[in-house]
């Protein structure tokens, strides 16, 4: 059985998104996948090569002013070199984001990630969870407590540091990592069988 390679290309302005990136890494690693964390704010040539050699790339960024951070946008623009050569064609893609507000226009950041993935010819992997915390018997501790389908979304209070990232959001990010790694394993096995 081939071990899938999952890379997490992320930016974290104040540490909250780094906590989520680590949770995605842990979830993917739990499945036996090889996982790489790539902080795109200081990406090296070797890290670009890690992304090129990955079966799946998970994009992560805080949501600032209704979209991904400037550092993530700079990375996305720099990925155009991969776009020209189709280096990421047919890889799997997924995403996660964080903001201080419950909504915080996080959906737009996840949509930005999906368009980036589509331009590269990648296949998007959604969260695959029903929404939590949406009934009288539900709780803020439910997985997918904010009710996103496109990717993992987290809310962290703006007066707390990375230690304030909600445990349910961390668990949701871990779920995303497991899901991406499991889908990558199926995808790699299917490609090998074809």
């Amino acid at each position: 059985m081939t071990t899938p390679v999952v890379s997490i290309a992320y930016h974290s302005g104040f540490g909250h998104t780094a906590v989520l990136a680590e949770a995605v890494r842990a979830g993917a690693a739990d499945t036996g996948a090889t996982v790489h964390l790539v902080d795109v704010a200081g990406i090296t040539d070797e890290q670009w090569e890690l992304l090129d050699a990955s079966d799946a790339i998970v994009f992560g960024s805080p949501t600032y002013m209704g979209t991904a951070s400037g550092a993530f946008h700079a990375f996305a623009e720099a990925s155009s070199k991969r776009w020209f050569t189709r280096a990421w064609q047919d890889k799997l893609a997924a995403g996660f984001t964080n903001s201080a507000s419950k909504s915080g226009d996080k959906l737009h950041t996840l949509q930005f990630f999906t368009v980036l993935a589509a331009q590269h010819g990648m296949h998007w992997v959604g969260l695959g969870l029903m929404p939590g915390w949406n009934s009288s018997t539900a709780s803020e501790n439910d997985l997918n407590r904010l009710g996103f389908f496109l990717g993992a979304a987290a809310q962290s209070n703006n007066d707390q540091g990375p230690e304030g990232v909600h445990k349910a959001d961390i668990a949701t990010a871990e779920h995303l990592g497991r899901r991406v790694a499991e889908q990558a394993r199926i995808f790699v096995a299917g490609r090998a069988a074809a």
Side-chain angles (χ1 to χ4, degrees):
M1 181 170 9
T2 305
T3 301
V5 178
V6 177
S7 287
I8 301 152
Y10 75 98
H11 172 250
S12 186
F14 297 98
H16 305 90
T17 309
V19 169
L20 298 173
E22 174 55 33
V24 173
R25 186 211 61 76
D30 282 349
T31 72
T34 300
V35 189
H36 305 289
L37 282 174
V38 176
D39 182 345
V40 301
I43 191 167
T44 65
D45 289 342
E46 292 78 17
Q47 289 172 319
W48 280 111
E49 291 170 10
L50 284 176
L51 296 178
D52 295 345
S54 297
D55 300 303
I57 302 173
V58 183
F59 301 127
S61 170
T63 295
Y64 293 155
M65 302 307 292
T67 190
S69 66
F72 193 92
H73 274 270
F75 159 76
E77 288 181 26
S79 77
S80 65
K81 292 178 181 175
R82 271 69 192 162
W83 178 82
F84 278 111
T85 64
R86 306 315 290 160
W88 296 353
Q89 179 84 27
D90 292 328
K91 294 183 185 302
L92 299 182
F96 61 95
T97 188
N98 178 77
S99 71
S101 299
K102 297 285 191 279
S103 170
D105 295 320
K106 288 186 272 281
L107 178 59
H108 185 259
T109 299
L110 293 171
Q111 289 171 329
F112 168 71
F113 293 158
T114 62
V115 171
L116 176 63
Q119 289 194 344
H120 279 287
M122 301 170 82
H123 304 283
W124 189 259
V125 177
L127 190 56
L129 283 175
M130 295 297 286
W133 200 19
N134 65 356
S135 72
S136 62
T137 59
S139 146
E140 71 172 298
N141 297 310
D142 292 344
L143 284 180
N144 196 19
R145 71 187 181 111
L146 300 179
F148 283 76
F149 291 92
L150 209 52
Q155 179 272 327
S156 301
N157 295 328
N158 64 12
D159 60 349
Q160 291 182 298
E163 74 285 350
V165 178
H166 199 285
K167 288 182 179 15
D169 296 341
I170 293 171
T172 301
E174 289 172 348
H175 168 85
L176 179 66
R178 282 190 299 277
R179 179 167 165 77
V180 169
E182 289 163 358
Q183 294 303 307
R185 185 178 313 283
I186 292 166
F187 203 74
V188 168
R191 183 177 288 145

